[in-house]
Amino acid sequence: MDRPNYITPTGYAALRTEYEALFGTERPALVEVISWAAGNGDRSENGDYIYGRKKLREIDRRLGWLSKRMKAAKVVDPAAQPDRAKIWFGATVTIADEDDHHRTLSLVGDDEADAGAGRVGWNSPIARALRGAAVGDVRRVELPAGAIEYEVMTIDYPPV
């Protein structure tokens, strides 16, 4: 990876929880089903066996991806941010566009981004444009639909 994989403690815990659920619960149960299905004879027409093997490959692929992401993760606690006057990782900001439509966003790790819930990835175009901005600053965001200017209205961080 060419850049750090920043993530909040909450985001890291979610990755870890998913990994533990897959590795500790789902995978062993699936291996048991596959073993049972393999003992039923002809595997070429055994739906439980074929589907089980396919599902096992998907789980193993996801476990590998989660393992890599957790290994590369750099956990950053937004509450410990020393410069709270500017937008940095973990900030929750309210921005307004040219038509005075307000939008509240939290800058989080790319693995925990959910635009529908207002959490944007640290490396997204809007997050890159807002980095280092202070209240009152106007930043231009280049989007596929065209450029939009946003004014920073508020910056908040979790309490220490």
Side-chain angles (χ1 to χ4, degrees):
M1 300 185 90
D2 56 343
R3 56 184 175 224
N5 177 30
Y6 294 116
I7 193 166
T8 63
T10 305
Y12 187 82
L15 289 180
R16 186 92 192 137
T17 300
E18 182 183 358
Y19 182 89
E20 289 171 356
L22 287 172
F23 190 75
T25 307
E26 288 186 43
R27 191 177 192 288
L30 191 56
V31 167
E32 190 174 313
V33 169
I34 292 170
S35 296
W36 168 82
N40 288 337
D42 186 12
R43 295 177 187 175
S44 66
E45 295 180 13
N46 187 332
D48 288 328
Y49 179 80
I50 293 168
Y51 175 76
R53 293 290 308 252
K54 180 178 183 268
K55 184 71 176 165
L56 186 63
R57 283 191 300 273
E58 291 170 6
I59 288 175
D60 286 344
R61 190 172 19 258
R62 182 70 178 168
L63 285 170
W65 183 85
L66 287 167
S67 177
K68 279 188 214 171
R69 295 307 286 178
M70 287 188 302
K71 191 178 288 186
K74 181 173 182 186
V75 179
V76 177
D77 187 358
Q81 184 59 252
D83 184 4
R84 293 171 166 259
K86 294 189 176 184
I87 299 173
W88 301 114
F89 183 83
T92 298
V93 299
T94 301
I95 54 177
D97 63 13
E98 293 128 349
D99 298 326
D100 203 34
H101 293 111
H102 288 68
R103 192 172 163 197
T104 301
L105 306 169
S106 293
L107 278 61
V108 296
D110 293 331
D111 293 334
E112 54 189 322
D114 180 1
R119 294 188 312 266
V120 296
W122 178 242
N123 292 306
S124 67
I126 194 164
R128 285 194 312 265
L130 292 173
R131 289 181 195 172
V135 173
D137 288 356
V138 175
R139 294 294 175 100
R140 183 180 184 91
V141 181
E142 295 293 333
L143 299 172
I148 300 175
E149 288 190 345
Y150 289 105
E151 180 180 355
V152 178
M153 307 305 282
T154 63
I155 301 171
D156 294 310
Y157 287 94
V160 178

